[in-house]
Every structure is written in C-alpha cells, then in structure tokens.
Amino acid sequence: MPFQRKNGVLCADTVALNDIAAQYGTPCYVYLWDDIEARYRKLEQSLQPCDAHIRYAVKANSNLAILRRMSELGAGFDIVSGGELERVIRAGGEPSCVVFSGVGKTQQEISFALKAGIGCFNVESTAEVHRIAAVAAQQGTQAPIAIRVNPDISVETHPYIATGMRENKFGVAEHDALDLAKFIRRDSRNLQFLGLCCHIGSQINAIDPYRDALEAMLALRQSLLDEGIHCGSVGIGGGFGIRYQDEMPLSFETLGELLAAYNSREVRFEIEPGRSLVGPAGLLLTRVEYLKPASQAGYRNFCIVDAAMNDLCRPALYDAYHRVEAVENRACEELTWNLVGPICESGDFLALNRRLAVQENDLLALLDAGAYGFAMSSNYNSRPRPAEVIVHGGECELARRRESMADMLELEML
Ligand code: LLP
C-alpha cells in the first residue's frame, strides 16, 4: 500500500498525515506522486514489447498539477469534454497526443479541438461524424478519426460503469462500423480515418473481456483491410481495476502479455487507463466531528466526519467500498461504525459497518480515493470543495486550495 505507518502514524511517504491536516485543514485529498509515477513506469514497461500509446483518462483525476506531471512522464490523454482539453493544454500537454471520446461532443468542442490540433476524435455515432465533417469543412481542415466500437461484451462491474454492451449508449454497433469507415474514407477532404477503438467499462478485474474486445477489434480491422481501408490503430480503452477491498486486479504485466500476443508491425495499440494509475495513490483525509453511538440494541453507531458525499460520492452512487484507516492508532474500544457526513440525506455515507477505534477529533483516511474522488465532487449543501495536496519526494505541494465561500458564490447574482 502506498501509504504506510511510521511510528504508528499513517504517512504519505515521509510526511505524517496529521501534519498535512494541520497545514491544509480537512477534508483534504492527498496524492502520492511517486506512487503514480511508479505505476506509470510499470505500465510503460509492461507495454514495451508492443507499439502502444498510453492516453491517461483525464476524468479520473484532472487536477492541473497531476496532468502536468503526467505530461512530463510522456503520457498522452483521453478526454471527454472541451473543459478537459483546456486543462490538458494549460498543463502543458500536447493536443496531438490527445484522443477525444464521448457521445455528445458539441459543435464548439469539436471546433476547439480541431483548432488545437487534436490527435484523434473517437467517434461514437454516424451523426457525430457528419458534424465533425461539417466543422472540419468550415475550418478547411481534415479531422483525424477513430471509430469507437461497441463490441457488446458484458463485464463484471457496477452497471453504471459497464459501457461495452449493446444496451449502453456508447460506441457504434459492430455491424455498422464498416459502413461508417467507408463513409469516412469517401470524405477524405475533411476526414482522415485512423483506426478502431473501444472501452468496455471500468473497474474490470478479468483479462477475458479485454481479449474478447481485442479479438473483435482485430477481426473488424481485417474486414476493413479487405475493403482496402487502412486501419493503423486499435484501442482497448481503460477500465483496469484496482483493489478496494479484496478484489484481485489485473496486473499491467498480464495486460502487456495480452497485447504482445496480438502484436504486429502494422498496428499501434492505444490504451486509456485512469483509475489504475491514480486510484490507489490518493486518499481523502477527514476529521471526526462527533460520535453518536447507539444507546440501545438495534440502533447504529454513527461516526460523523467533516467529509461527505459531495467530497467523495462513490459510496453513495455506486455503493463503493473504500477502506478506512485511523491516522493514529487509539487505545480506545473498537466498535462497528457507520462513517457518515454532515449532508442532509441518508445516502450520505462514506463507509458502513467498519470496525474502528475512534474518538472525537481523530483523523481518518479513506483510501484509494485518487480516482473519481475530487473529480466527482460538488458543492451540494453549499459545501466548499476540499483542498488537494500532492506529496512528491517527501515534500508537500498544494495542488488546489480549499474553496472559499467567495469562490463558491462568485458566479451567482442576487
Ligand atoms: N476511456 C474512456 C472512454 C472512459 O469512458 C473511461 C472511464 C476511461 C477510459 C478510464 O477508465 P478507468 O481506467 O479509469 O477505469 N466514476 C466511476 C468510473 C467511471 C468511468 C468512466 N469512464 C467510478 O467512480 O467508479
């Protein structure tokens, strides 16, 4: 685990989390950059035998300081909005190393991406291709395009984050892809066909669905080649799971072996990992406000903390499990607690039925919160969003200051 105890105190590298709480306050996200970098290097190494490009999925954690560092490592990016493109550019990322996914790209977003020199639009419908062609024609330019295919593959994950089945809104059905590729080739003045891609879901721990998806992509690629359509890239998306509780996640080596088995000089693989690079390297630090133990059998023990579902919505939205660790070990009695926030909903829980020895004012850490943590936060209940801190080489850097009341209200008119 990236966060270790030293003299009984949970630390990020050499920095004690209680020092971070004292300096930056709580709730606060803490990211361990050295761990993210180690994950990236490991992935890169596992992909070495193949020609593969890593496009970090910005949505997992889009803090500018994270993006800047990713770009310095040599990562490309997978984005799903003009806002994410703006972030990548501001972080010093190269637009030609960016792929733009998503079912609802607006005209403005397409125009912005084309002007910026986007690497590829991963298109998800015929209608979108028409729109991109029109914008490209207007700008007198050629839009690079890959077709995102929906391979109709089911995966074991939360239904909200399975994306590669026919009932999902994503991608073009396999049987429509050939015609769409032909259409793209015909409009070669405005469109340039680069290849095929897919993304079958998130928090996937098995290799088989990736093998099935890859085989489907390669078979489709062969049908395109048979029609004389060059198809240089094949993307398998992201979705590689991490260990939140007792899952056995896919290793990057296994993934590398899969791609290596299908390696050929004519194909470049594209992968879009998000969670597996940043998830385990982040935690949400929170302080216990009140303890509300049950006074009678049949009631629950509530541990009320200063973080809530607006800061980390995964438990409320997906019933997600995040391990909880006390920053300092306490000698008090261990009880079974429901860790809840101050928000006025019973869905506002961060962890249920956890054995913890806690006292008022203690610091707790919700682990594996580096992906889809801050990125999905909101101001619900008019709660300013938390600070984000990066620990790098034993030093702390503020990556986003805590929102003030003024920040939160800035855009509103009386
Ligand atoms: N590529 C595309 C096109 C995607 O839609 C996604 C994630 C990824 C790559 C990266 O997937 P990852 O490697 O991070 O699993 N909010 C949810 C996860 C949503 C994932 C959406 N798409 C959660 O907290 O579990």
Side-chain angles (χ1 to χ4, degrees):
M1 157 168 128
F3 298 93
Q4 306 277 357
R5 282 187 191 278
K6 294 202 171 75
N7 303 322
V9 180
L10 197 60
C11 293
D13 198 351
T14 51
V15 190
L17 290 176
N18 36 18
D19 290 342
I20 295 183
Q23 190 172 352
Y24 301 101
T26 55
C28 170
Y29 277 96
V30 181
Y31 310 125
L32 200 49
W33 175 256
D34 298 353
D35 189 59
I36 299 176
E37 176 166 352
R39 279 166 207 285
Y40 186 88
R41 300 268 184 229
K42 183 137 198 213
L43 176 60
E44 208 175 34
Q45 201 186 354
S46 309
L47 297 174
Q48 197 126 56
C50 332
D51 181 10
H53 284 171
I54 303 173
R55 316 287 190 197
Y56 167 63
V58 171
K59 63 174 80 67
N61 186 325
S62 52
N63 183 284
L64 291 177
I66 299 275
L67 299 183
R68 173 178 62 77
R69 287 173 162 84
M70 283 285 184
S71 155
E72 286 166 4
L73 288 182
F77 298 94
D78 163 64
I79 60 158
V80 289
S81 70
E84 287 190 347
L85 178 56
E86 181 70 29
R87 282 180 177 275
V88 169
I89 293 170
R90 287 201 193 189
E94 175 49 55
S96 63
C97 300
V98 177
V99 300
F100 193 167
S101 312
V103 295
K105 301 174 190 79
T106 66
Q107 203 210 311
Q108 288 84 343
E109 287 176 323
I110 292 165
S111 166
F112 172 37
L114 268 178
K115 282 189 186 135
I118 195 93
C120 188
F121 289 98
N122 288 351
V123 299
E124 310 227 14
S125 65
T126 304
E128 182 192 332
V129 172
H130 287 295
R131 183 179 281 181
I132 292 175
V135 179
Q138 231 171 31
Q139 292 183 13
T141 182
Q142 202 193 29
I145 287 198
I147 299 178
R148 176 171 175 181
V149 176
N150 182 326
D152 194 21
I153 287 173
S154 75
V155 290
E156 234 177 86
T157 190
H158 191 282
Y160 291 180
I161 55 175
T163 51
M165 290 187 285
R166 63 173 74 177
E167 60 262 40
N168 302 131
K169 66 181 173 180
F170 299 99
V172 174
E174 258 178 281
H175 52 263
D176 294 328
L178 182 58
D179 280 348
L180 188 55
K182 285 183 188 163
F183 173 83
I184 294 167
R185 185 182 51 177
R186 275 201 302 277
D187 193 0
S188 62
R189 199 142 57 96
N190 302 313
L191 305 173
Q192 182 197 9
F193 181 72
L194 298 185
L196 299 169
C197 60
C198 66
H199 170 73
I200 53 177
S202 195
Q203 185 56 17
I204 299 169
N205 295 311
I207 192 74
D208 292 352
Y210 287 106
R211 182 176 299 108
D212 295 347
L214 188 55
E215 284 188 355
M217 293 298 101
L218 292 173
L220 199 50
R221 174 173 181 273
Q222 190 55 51
S223 337
L224 300 189
L225 292 179
D226 294 345
E227 294 283 336
I229 302 175
H230 178 71
C231 176
S233 72
V234 168
I236 59 158
F240 321 118
I242 62 171
R243 183 176 203 141
Y244 286 103
Q245 192 171 5
D246 50 12
E247 301 92 331
M248 292 299 285
L250 259 182
S251 69
F252 287 151
E253 283 90 346
T254 310
L255 188 66
E257 282 160 18
L258 173 70
L259 293 183
Y262 293 90
N263 200 18
S264 92
R265 244 179 295 158
E266 290 86 48
V267 185
R268 188 186 61 249
F269 293 121
E270 301 267 337
I271 72 165
E272 303 164 357
R275 188 191 320 260
S276 52
L277 292 178
V278 294
L283 57 76
L284 175 60
L285 194 55
T286 181
R287 194 177 285 283
V288 177
E289 292 284 351
Y290 301 103
L291 292 179
K292 198 161 99 160
S295 52
Q296 269 185 31
Y299 286 74
R300 302 284 159 86
N301 299 319
F302 292 104
C303 172
I304 302 163
V305 297
D306 64 2
M309 66 190 281
N310 73 298
D311 304 304
L312 178 65
C313 77
R314 303 192 68 258
L317 189 57
Y318 314 112
D319 244 332
Y321 183 99
H322 286 265
R323 280 175 291 155
V324 181
E325 295 250 351
V327 170
E328 286 179 271
N329 292 320
R330 289 282 175 228
C332 60
E333 191 194 356
E334 201 179 76
L335 289 176
T336 301
W337 295 99
N338 279 359
L339 204 71
V340 301
I343 284 184
C344 299
E345 293 204 25
S346 295
D348 178 29
F349 57 84
L350 297 169
L352 300 177
N353 299 317
R354 303 301 174 86
R355 296 293 295 172
L356 287 169
V358 275
Q359 291 170 352
E360 221 172 77
N361 218 32
D362 276 359
L363 288 168
L364 298 176
L366 284 136
L367 301 183
D368 305 308
Y372 307 109
F374 186 91
M376 295 179 79
S377 65
S378 76
N379 288 126
Y380 187 40
N381 274 210
S382 290
R383 292 169 46 85
R385 275 180 290 189
E388 293 177 283
V389 172
I390 296 184
V391 177
H392 182 187
E395 301 285 326
C396 284
E397 286 168 41
L398 188 60
R400 191 183 206 267
R401 66 170 168 80
R402 181 175 307 287
E403 265 178 20
S404 65
M405 294 292 173
D407 293 329
M408 194 175 59
L409 299 176
E410 192 177 43
L411 304 179
E412 291 174 40
M413 268 108 355
L414 270 175

